[in-house]
Amino acid sequence: MKILIIGNGAREHALTWAISQNPRCTKIYCSPGNAGTAKLGTNLDIDIESNNEILKKCLEYCIDIIVVGPEKQFEQGLVNALKEKSILIFGPTKEASQLETSKSFTKKMCKQKKIPTGNYKIFSREDDAKKFLREQPKPYVIKADGLAAGKGVLVSSNIEESDQFISSIFEGKIGLEKSKVIIEEYLEGQEMSVFFAIDKNIIKFVGSAQDYKRAFDYDRGPNTGGMGAFSPSPLLTKRTLDKIVNKIINPTVEYMREIGSEFSGILYAGLILKNGEPKLIEYNVRFGDPECQALCVRLGAQILDIYFSGAKNELSGLSINEANDSAITVIVAEKGYPRNPRSGCELNDIVDIKYDKALKIFHAGTYFENNFLCNAGGRIFSFTVRSRNLNEARTIAYKELTKIENDNIFYRTDIGSY
Ligand code: AMP
Ligand code: GLY
């Protein structure tokens, strides 16, 4: 099977690695890919913002299945564009991807289907939003409605900062376009991410994880795309999973069917758990980054089976086996990340170290220039270890990380410790 993987992060490197383990995989292409994926397959230069260009390249390279990492391609309607073509893809249509791309869409669905989530109000006028905020208890939760590349949410008790955030959303400085503002009830509790594969016929549990969004130790500093994760989440008992499926996932799938936008693909539920009761914070229509790195080393070659069976609506016949072990991933980022990341740092010294063979290094946005490995973005590597339990995986990961002596990077030292 010839596979095209879209994206350039450590999530996509991890997907590439897992898929390359599957005997059904004969050739992997990545676009744009990074220096890590180039070692497992061929990176292709495609304008991935154009469905037509992707389609053209798939025909040229005889691609059997496309695996998409980021949400962008679902939002731009790649699945719609491939309908009735012979190339397989497992993911939502443009309309169904609104579960991630439009928070107001998801909130309205929650209200209609009585899915547990925080109370909220949507505003299209700045002064109304600011007035309402003053009537709310702290901390405030403020969100931009549309896609915002991980920068669309503020949780703060500071009224000036909150006002500023609301203004920035209405001015179009946050998010990909000017959007409405959502003010939401603050939900207290423990956070986890739960992943499902969903096709026309069935909902299958894939795995769970917990991620760390703040830049610095003990959850200090600005929000980031994610500084580390581990899988599975110890918060997820069988009873809680049943509740999540019955109260949250089933009604979601039912709603999407009722409105004629049936959901297919990976559904990532971001949840808050309090006293054993799950509430939905948000949906994503893809694997999370960095959660995917920890999931991929545990699921291995099964990842391709999930995408393949899902694309053919044959998930019913697939058993997804979660190993009885744990994995951790710690992000190594450029030291200015997330506020002022520089690109172009030399990283050869980091990859040339002799590490424990339990460690996998997944690259994010790296490239080679004159034989030097350089970084293109703020997050550089995911140091990922799978082991018998989380403690052991964490010990190995941090022992290996201390071998790095490079002043241009930093990482959190507390991933997996709470
Ligand atoms: P989101 O992009 O919606 O996942 O939000 C980013 C992060 O903000 C989440 O992972 C939570 O840590 C936090 N967050 C979002 N909504 C809420 C809420 N209603 N209550 C508490 N924390 C929240
Ligand atoms: N780890 C959060 C995300 O991928 O959206």
Side-chain angles (χ1 to χ4, degrees):
M1 211 184 293
K2 292 198 179 85
I3 299 143
L4 171 64
I5 296 171
I6 294 189
N8 68 348
R11 168 181 52 201
E12 288 75 24
H13 186 188
L15 288 169
T16 306
W17 170 81
I19 288 171
S20 70
Q21 309 293 304
N22 194 306
R24 287 208 263 193
C25 165
T26 52
K27 174 82 193 158
I28 300 193
Y29 297 95
C30 298
S31 186
N34 57 42
T37 64
K39 293 224 158 109
L40 299 166
T42 306
N43 288 347
L44 294 179
D45 184 17
I46 307 175
D47 174 6
I48 57 169
E49 303 214 338
S50 158
N51 296 333
N52 255 337
E53 289 301 312
I54 295 174
L55 185 56
K56 261 205 266 176
K57 281 284 190 294
C58 285
L59 296 173
E60 188 182 331
Y61 287 88
C62 302
I63 300 297
D64 298 295
I65 182 164
I66 308 181
V67 171
V68 177
E71 63 281 4
K72 177 72 184 65
Q73 280 65 39
F74 299 125
E75 198 250 342
Q76 80 196 25
L78 181 61
V79 172
N80 308 56
L82 289 173
K83 227 180 190 150
E84 285 152 30
K85 301 277 189 289
S86 60
I87 304 151
L88 293 172
I89 187 165
F90 183 46
T93 57
K94 183 177 175 58
E95 296 73 27
S97 67
Q98 284 184 94
L99 283 175
E100 172 165 357
T101 60
S102 166
K103 292 191 193 290
S104 57
F105 173 88
T106 302
K107 282 293 192 189
K108 278 180 197 146
M109 171 188 76
C110 289
K111 196 170 239 176
Q112 200 166 321
K113 283 290 182 183
K114 300 193 170 56
I115 294 172
T117 188
N119 290 325
Y120 70 99
K121 224 172 153 147
I122 303 175
F123 296 90
S124 38
R125 284 172 48 105
E126 191 170 335
D127 43 356
D128 291 346
K130 289 182 177 171
K131 184 162 171 277
F132 179 77
L133 194 72
R134 281 158 177 74
E135 296 156 9
Q136 302 313 303
K138 292 174 183 172
Y140 311 119
V141 180
I142 304 162
K143 301 185 178 184
D145 189 20
L147 279 184
K151 298 192 176 77
V153 177
L154 178 75
V155 179
S156 170
S157 293
N158 181 314
I159 190 79
E160 285 85 32
E161 186 185 26
S162 303
D163 276 347
Q164 184 60 46
F165 193 75
I166 291 174
S167 302
S168 299
I169 296 173
F170 282 116
E171 285 161 15
K173 289 185 193 152
I174 289 173
L176 303 180
E177 57 202 43
K178 282 189 198 180
S179 79
K180 290 181 191 151
V181 162
I182 297 170
I183 297 180
E184 203 174 295
E185 171 195 0
Y186 177 76
L187 299 173
E188 223 184 289
Q190 291 171 291
E191 227 180 306
M192 69 178 161
S193 311
V194 186
F195 301 87
F196 299 90
I198 299 173
D199 70 8
K200 258 189 171 128
N201 309 309
I202 201 164
I203 297 166
K204 288 250 168 155
F205 169 68
V206 174
S208 65
Q210 281 174 233
D211 75 338
Y212 294 76
K213 291 208 165 72
R214 297 295 190 107
F216 310 128
D217 283 0
Y218 309 113
D219 281 337
R220 286 173 301 132
N223 259 324
T224 69
M227 292 301 293
F230 61 85
S231 169
S233 164
L235 303 173
L236 189 66
T237 59
K238 167 85 178 70
R239 207 158 154 244
T240 305
L241 180 59
D242 287 345
K243 276 188 196 165
I244 294 168
V245 172
N246 293 329
K247 294 185 175 181
I248 299 177
I249 309 298
N250 280 341
T252 297
V253 168
E254 197 180 275
Y255 177 84
M256 297 307 284
R257 196 168 290 143
E258 283 164 9
I259 63 163
S261 301
E262 203 164 3
F263 185 87
S264 178
I266 299 294
L267 188 63
Y268 155 172
L271 303 157
I272 290 257
L273 200 65
K274 194 179 173 191
N275 303 328
E277 290 303 318
K279 285 191 178 178
L280 181 71
I281 307 182
E282 63 153 359
Y283 274 133
N284 293 305
V285 298
R286 44 148 182 101
F287 279 121
D289 184 345
E291 295 96 321
C292 185
Q293 291 85 301
L295 278 174
C296 274
V297 290
R298 298 184 60 232
L299 287 164
Q302 296 182 90
I303 291 279
L304 179 59
D305 301 329
I306 294 171
Y307 278 96
F308 184 66
S309 301
K312 296 178 73 159
N313 289 303
E314 289 173 358
L315 280 172
S316 314
L318 181 74
S319 77
I320 303 171
N321 299 308
E322 214 196 0
N324 186 22
D325 59 9
S326 288
I328 193 170
T329 191
V330 181
I331 301 291
V332 173
E334 200 281 329
K335 75 170 182 248
Y337 180 73
R339 290 198 172 114
N340 300 304
R342 287 177 316 150
S343 55
C345 302
E346 286 176 12
L347 308 163
N348 290 44
D349 59 316
I350 299 180
V351 285
D352 288 345
I353 294 170
K354 204 166 163 23
Y355 294 106
D356 188 311
K357 59 181 186 321
L359 175 79
K360 294 211 158 20
I361 301 180
F362 297 123
H363 293 222
T366 52
Y367 63 94
F368 272 107
E369 196 168 271
N370 304 325
N371 284 330
F372 283 102
L373 182 66
C374 304
N375 76 309
R379 293 193 290 178
I380 304 175
F381 301 117
S382 282
F383 273 50
T384 307
V385 176
R386 174 188 185 187
S387 199
R388 282 178 301 186
N389 56 54
L390 177 59
N391 246 332
E392 209 172 272
R394 187 179 61 230
T395 306
I396 299 171
Y398 278 114
K399 185 163 162 270
E400 297 312 296
L401 280 157
T402 55
K403 293 179 180 170
I404 301 177
E405 289 177 14
N406 181 316
D407 292 338
N408 294 318
I409 60 104
F410 81 101
Y411 53 85
R412 275 182 63 157
T413 64
D414 60 347
I415 304 299
S417 58
Y418 64 93

